[in-house]
Amino acid sequence: MKRVGLALGGGGAKGLSHIAFLQALDELGVRPAVIAGTSIGAVIAGFYAAGVSGSQLEQIVKDLGFKDLYKMVLDFSILSNSAIYKGKGVEDFLSRAIPARTFAEAEIPLKVVATDFWNRKEVVFTSGSLITAIRASIAMPALFEPVLLDGQVLIDGGAVNSLPYDILRPECDLTIAIDVSGEKTYAPKDPVPNMVESILSTFQIMQASIVEAKKRLSPPDIYVKPALTNIRVLDFYRYKEILAGVRHEVQWFKDTLRKHLEGQVS
């Protein structure tokens, strides 16, 4: 049996679509040998590696409700000049909801990507506190406060590696990369983005450029990019639309993965 490596990329609320692909893996009975995640991909990967199934993840999202979700995410950082939100609410939620506190407690080996701001380098967590690593990985510039750890200022892993399938290669035979960066279309009535949208979208444009360059050099065995259009970073309330919007890509993914596992693709 091939050792499957699964990489879940960043993309804000669009990352909820990762759940549909995890459900596909569950339906096929495929258990990844190792998982890597960046930003929202690190959140979803953390749950899955800790033993939470795709269907259970969907139920968690449904049970949260709009008020609880935004109370968790939008904890304003009044006294800080580094970001709009503290990120403490997200951290507390992850501590309660993920059934593993450390990487050692996870059922599937996991790699979480963050960025060392001052050294401009990738930081890959594979041990220690799972919650701290995920919190660092989602620290999107200007949105969530950075994480201070062991003398490092850590921010969103998407700044260096938003789709970390490359760090899985030494440990697996088949690499799967789920890219949830989505797309933006021109808005004739309101073509100029506001300040926050401009910052966040520019960050995502840079991420997309990094992924495209990396794919040209060394593509993953299976690459999926759902057609998620005009979904903003914090549009988590659109989770039904997000999950429903990737049905065609999920079916293609299942068919393609079957062919790889059955040896029909070399």
Side-chain angles (χ1 to χ4, degrees), residues 31-50:
R31 181 183 174 88
V34 57
I35 309 175
T38 296
S39 201
I40 185 66
V43 175
I44 303 298
F47 274 98
Y48 198 64

Side-chain angles (χ1 to χ4, degrees), residues 29-258:
V30 175
R31 181 183 174 88
V34 57
I35 309 175
T38 296
S39 201
I40 185 66
V43 175
I44 303 298
F47 274 98
Y48 198 64
V52 181
S53 71
S55 294
Q56 289 171 328
L57 262 169
E58 183 177 0
Q59 191 60 50
I60 288 171
V61 174
K62 289 179 178 178
D63 291 343
L64 270 176
F66 298 151
K67 290 183 179 179
D68 292 336
L69 180 62
Y70 283 99
K71 183 179 179 181
M72 173 183 74
V73 174
L74 308 183
D75 54 343
F76 289 95
S77 183
I78 300 172
L79 300 178
S80 172
N81 61 2
S82 65
I84 300 172
Y85 308 117
K86 297 177 184 177
K88 181 63 176 173
V90 176
E91 188 173 339
D92 290 343
F93 165 72
L94 295 175
S95 296
R96 295 192 306 270
I98 295 180
R101 294 292 175 270
T102 66
F103 282 83
E105 294 174 1
E107 296 181 5
I108 301 174
L110 174 65
K111 299 174 185 287
V112 171
V113 178
T115 302
D116 182 332
F117 180 82
W118 290 112
N119 288 317
R120 303 180 181 185
K121 292 182 179 179
E122 177 181 74
V123 176
V124 180
F125 289 93
T126 58
S127 62
S129 170
L130 179 59
I131 308 305
T132 299
I134 295 173
R135 171 62 183 84
S137 186
I138 66 171
M140 184 174 286
L143 194 64
F144 291 117
E145 291 181 356
V147 170
L148 305 180
L149 182 67
D150 298 331
Q152 296 175 308
V153 177
L154 301 175
I155 63 169
D156 196 306
V160 289
N161 196 349
S162 62
L163 191 59
Y165 63 86
D166 52 307
I167 65 176
L168 299 175
R169 288 195 187 282
E171 301 172 49
C172 60
D173 307 308
L174 179 69
T175 53
I176 299 170
I178 312 296
D179 183 349
V180 295
S181 57
E183 303 290 345
K184 289 283 186 183
T185 58
Y186 182 71
K189 294 182 179 179
D190 190 19
V192 180
N194 61 40
M195 181 176 65
V196 174
E197 182 70 14
S198 179
I199 292 171
L200 299 182
S201 292
T202 298
F203 186 65
Q204 292 183 330
I205 290 169
M206 293 167 63
Q207 290 178 350
S209 297
I210 293 172
V211 170
E212 286 304 313
K214 188 165 67 172
K215 280 172 55 192
R216 285 194 293 271
L217 289 172
S218 181
D221 297 300
I222 299 177
Y223 171 78
V224 189
K225 184 178 180 180
L228 299 164
T229 305
N230 294 336
I231 296 174
R232 294 185 174 89
V233 171
L234 296 177
D235 281 354
F236 291 98
Y237 70 93
R238 298 170 66 182
Y239 74 90
K240 290 182 180 179
E241 175 188 346
I242 292 168
L243 289 173
V246 299
R247 283 176 295 188
H248 294 301
E249 288 89 348
V250 168
Q251 187 57 55
W252 176 89
F253 169 68
K254 290 172 71 174
D255 293 342
T256 302
L257 180 55
R258 281 196 194 98

